Amino acid sequence: MAVVQYISVLLALISVQAKLKLWPYSDGLEVDLQRLNQEELEGDECSSCMPLADSNEEDLLKVQRFNCERISKANTDFSRLAGLYGQAVDESWKTRISNAQKLCDQATNATDVLKQAELATCAWGVVLMRNRECCNIPGPPYCVSSAQSKWARASVLALAVFGSLLAAAVAKCCQGSFYSASLVRCEQPEQTSPSVSSTEPPTGDFGVYTAGEIDSLDQKLKEDLTRRWKGCTLVELVKSEPGDLSKEVVDTFAKFRWDFDFQEDSVKNQFEHFVSLWRSHCAAHADRRAADQGHLLERGLESLEEELLHGFLAWRDELEIKVRLRPGQSAVGALRKQKLENIVLYLLVWGEAGNLRFMPEMLYFITYILSVSTPPRIVHKGRSSAFLVDIVRPIYKVVFEEHHECVAVKSNKDAKKLREGFDTYLPADSANYDDWNELFMDADRLCTTLEWLQENDIDTYHQLKTVNWKQKLSGVKTHRELHSWWGVFAATHRLWFLHVLLYLLCMFIVSESLADDARGWKVYLAGNSTQTCLSCVGLLVPLHIFAWRMGSWFTTGSALRRHCNK
């Protein structure tokens, strides 16, 4: 704030000095100020600034009001500056503003409209501005400047250079303006751990369940899931199909509950979710094949996997070209079990992911790692399960710290406080869900970031637990959300190129014949021959490429910039 005040005072002083000293007085055009007390002025004293001859009464009144309002505004500004700087204000300016005000009062009291306009224009243009400006036009631009001071123009040029340097300096900070792109990627300020208000004690205070306790709880969970299964409409289909498919579904949910310590309530919710999806696909399959009602459950399961896990299966096939972590399935009878486990594991991961659901490929990655891992079977007591503490929270902590400082309890509700400067819009280099998700969409980038994916004989679940997500998820941005015209140009550069090219070609076609014999200053800017003119039009191509490259560079994120620099 102090810097802004200093710059404002500096600009005001420069403006005052320019008005009082830099512009020279015009010889032979000064008004005898002592004659202002008289009722009339000689005609030649204000002849340099007079109302237009063809002005009507309404226009003359506009000119009179406009000039008097400018004098009143100048008087107010002068009084403020005089109070601030005292003797720094030139004495001659005090005399001029006083006499101009007197002349404007005479214009107000005059009965002739033409006389009012003449006195008002004389007060502003001759008395106050010393013939440097004449405001005798009833509409825009209102005033005509006749200042010829080289010092005044030099001061304006100096101010323009100063403003450009200031804008360039401001543009390099992370909170760059909309009109100027940052030439360098600004590093985000050092992040501190958020102070999250929570009433939940640390998970470690509750310990873990023993094997005997797990067996007892596993039996209760299976009984609860079985009771939920018997309450659905799929029970009748199970009786008509071979094998105890209901027991297989219940055992699969219970198995993953204890293998990776998902929350028990989440497991029950996802069990009902799975049954609902399965029932819908069985009904749809029955409607399509009304004559063949056999094996509806298996066909419904296949249809559910194809629709729910279509993206996951395609993503997994692409990743397995780079890595070889997934054990092969050779037994034909294990095919249905494998499909069931894929669906159940994905639903359980999705159920506890929370905000990580905005990154679907990341959920694919977590599901894939769990499917090829040796189950740790470490079950925490209390509300916070091992999967939530070891896998979900470390990732979400990085997501939270990117934009927020803390979470406080306000009126019994969680209130997330954004980091300083993030209220208006996020900085260009601030990562978001789509940026982090892009890391898991690209198998090459993922294997480069997580090197252990290409290692053999490793505990993948332990590796997933020990990943430093703050380091791995930093610098993954490929596109900067830049608040600048460079972003607009980079997105629409082809449109601008086509318009400008067609405009220049049309101008070339409709222009007059070229003067081949022109010499010196008469030579056209684009040349005198058809070939030269078309060559000049062709220069638009390299100019467009240069501007496009600049726009692409400004909008390219840190991840691709590092790749380009290699």
Side-chain angles (χ1 to χ4, degrees), residues 45-59:
E45 292 176 341
C46 291
S47 59
S48 60
C49 183
M50 298 289 289
L52 300 179
D54 57 347
S55 300
N56 55 34
E57 183 176 343
E58 183 180 357
D59 293 340

Side-chain angles (χ1 to χ4, degrees), residues 54 147 155 186 236 335 397 407 425 453:
D54 57 347
S155 64
C186 300
E236 300 299 327
L335 182 60
K397 185 173 183 290
V407 175
Y425 54 81
L453 286 175

